[in-house]
Amino acid sequence: MTRPVTVGLDGSPESRAAAEWAAREAVLRGLPLKIVHVWEPAPELIGQAQLLGWETHPYWTERVPRESAEGIRLRHPGLDVTAEQRTGMPADVLCEAAEAAELLVLGSRGLGGLGGFMTGSVSLPVIARVERPVVLVRAGEQAADEHRMDPAGVPSAAAPFRPVVLGLDTRDPDETLLEFAFDAAARRKAPMRIVHAWNPPPSEPYALSAGYDLRGSIARSEADVLTEVVRPWRHKFPDVEVTEASRAGNAAPVLVAASRDASLVVVGRRIRTSRLGAHIGHVTHAVLHHVDAPVAVVAHG
């Protein structure tokens, strides 16, 4: 059975931007698009519905996904679009929907937003729980934002894509993460920037006095390891232009800085649980809060 690209829609600007991104991604992948709108009835809304009459309930709860689907069909002729409205806790419903999806797309207001997927309790729990890739898209994201300027210096969706940026831990490289990132770059015909961060050594007076460049030696070693990890993927995706960036420093700020001109940023999340439940790592958390481009979180073992 073909897995769709599934998007969670709540009517907010960020979720509408996510729906548009999901439609473009579905076209790139040649997959259908599924829009899921979750209605979480609060007591006051139930009271309003009773006053208005329950016959109005299907209309005002199904209008958002229906109209969104109609608009996407007009903008993407030929794309298979379905929409459904479900009742329940948004995080639970979206986790269930993700199980049958190729990837799940959600909207995000980012750090400092008022409500929305990131701050309102939906996105982070979903990302921490599902084992399918999840993409977070900010409000206002436009197709042209993922592309370079045209020759006249104007943002244009007809121009080449900006780079796909992958944050990679060379100590535990995962094939699922690498496959997703290289496939995304290949579909976009975009260059790929692979970023690896390593901790610089503490100052060692003896090494300095002996004329030994410890930092330089570590830098060369880390760069060599990155090259070896990436080598088979260069052969598997020969048409993808790859740049390797091995940088000294904390992984979170290094990756955020390297992602400023990205069309898509890809990070991993290890599938693991603790007494406090599933969670995401601090690097992924920082990227979700501070990167403007769409961010794909890929769960792996």
Side-chain angles (χ1 to χ4, degrees):
M1 184 179 68
T2 301
R3 291 177 176 266
V5 174
T6 298
V7 59
L9 184 71
D10 64 4
S12 64
E14 56 272 19
S15 73
R16 292 184 183 279
E20 292 298 329
W21 188 94
R24 298 193 297 272
E25 186 68 14
V27 171
L28 277 175
R29 293 173 175 264
L31 295 176
L33 174 68
K34 183 176 183 179
I35 300 170
V36 177
H37 176 255
V38 185
W39 184 67
E40 182 181 7
E44 61 270 20
L45 293 179
I46 293 175
Q48 291 174 12
Q50 289 173 336
L51 289 173
L52 293 171
W54 280 105
E55 67 275 7
T56 65
H57 173 265
Y59 175 77
W60 60 264
T61 57
E62 296 175 3
R63 180 177 176 180
V64 171
R66 184 179 66 250
E67 291 183 349
S68 178
E70 290 171 356
I72 287 173
R73 291 189 189 103
L74 288 173
R75 291 185 290 278
H76 299 278
L79 177 61
D80 180 4
V81 184
T82 58
E84 67 176 41
Q85 194 276 329
R86 299 174 62 180
T87 302
M89 299 295 291
D92 293 339
V93 173
L94 290 170
C95 285
E96 181 181 345
E99 293 178 2
E102 185 68 17
L103 71 157
L104 177 68
V105 186
L106 302 175
S108 168
R109 291 185 184 224
L111 188 63
L114 301 175
F117 283 123
M118 277 299 296
T119 59
S121 78
V122 176
S123 283
L124 292 181
V126 170
I127 290 170
R129 288 165 55 186
V130 304
E131 297 187 8
R132 304 300 302 170
V134 182
V135 179
L136 273 291
V137 179
R138 297 224 190 278
E141 176 74 17
Q142 301 288 330
D145 297 335
E146 300 164 26
H147 296 256
R148 299 186 185 277
M149 299 288 188
D150 68 11
V154 177
S156 171
F161 275 93
R162 295 177 182 271
V164 171
V165 176
L166 167 64
L168 185 65
D169 181 357
T170 58
R171 296 170 300 177
D172 186 24
D174 185 85
E175 291 191 356
T176 302
L177 179 64
L178 285 155
E179 179 80 37
F180 183 95
F182 270 89
D183 180 71
R187 291 180 185 279
R188 289 163 171 76
K189 299 181 180 179
M192 179 133 158
R193 183 181 304 146
I194 303 177
V195 182
H196 163 62
W198 50 272
N199 293 321
S203 176
E204 296 188 12
Y206 175 78
L208 292 174
S209 63
Y212 178 66
D213 182 9
L214 178 61
R215 184 187 179 99
S217 176
I218 294 176
R220 289 188 292 273
S221 176
E222 294 286 349
D224 289 343
V225 170
L226 177 59
T227 296
E228 287 304 311
V229 169
V230 174
R231 190 187 307 279
W233 295 94
R234 285 180 178 270
H235 290 305
K236 187 173 182 178
F237 292 89
D239 295 331
V240 176
E241 176 189 337
V242 181
T243 300
E244 299 168 14
S246 181
R247 301 283 184 265
N250 184 280
V254 167
L255 183 53
V256 169
S259 302
R260 288 173 181 162
D261 64 340
S263 64
L264 177 68
V265 180
V266 183
V267 292
R269 176 189 72 79
R270 290 188 179 88
I271 300 173
R272 57 189 177 188
T273 58
S274 68
R275 290 179 301 172
L276 300 177
H279 59 92
I280 64 175
H282 75 280
V283 176
T284 297
H285 202 282
V287 170
L288 289 173
H289 279 320
H290 298 295
V291 169
D292 291 332
V295 177
V297 182
V298 181
H300 59 82

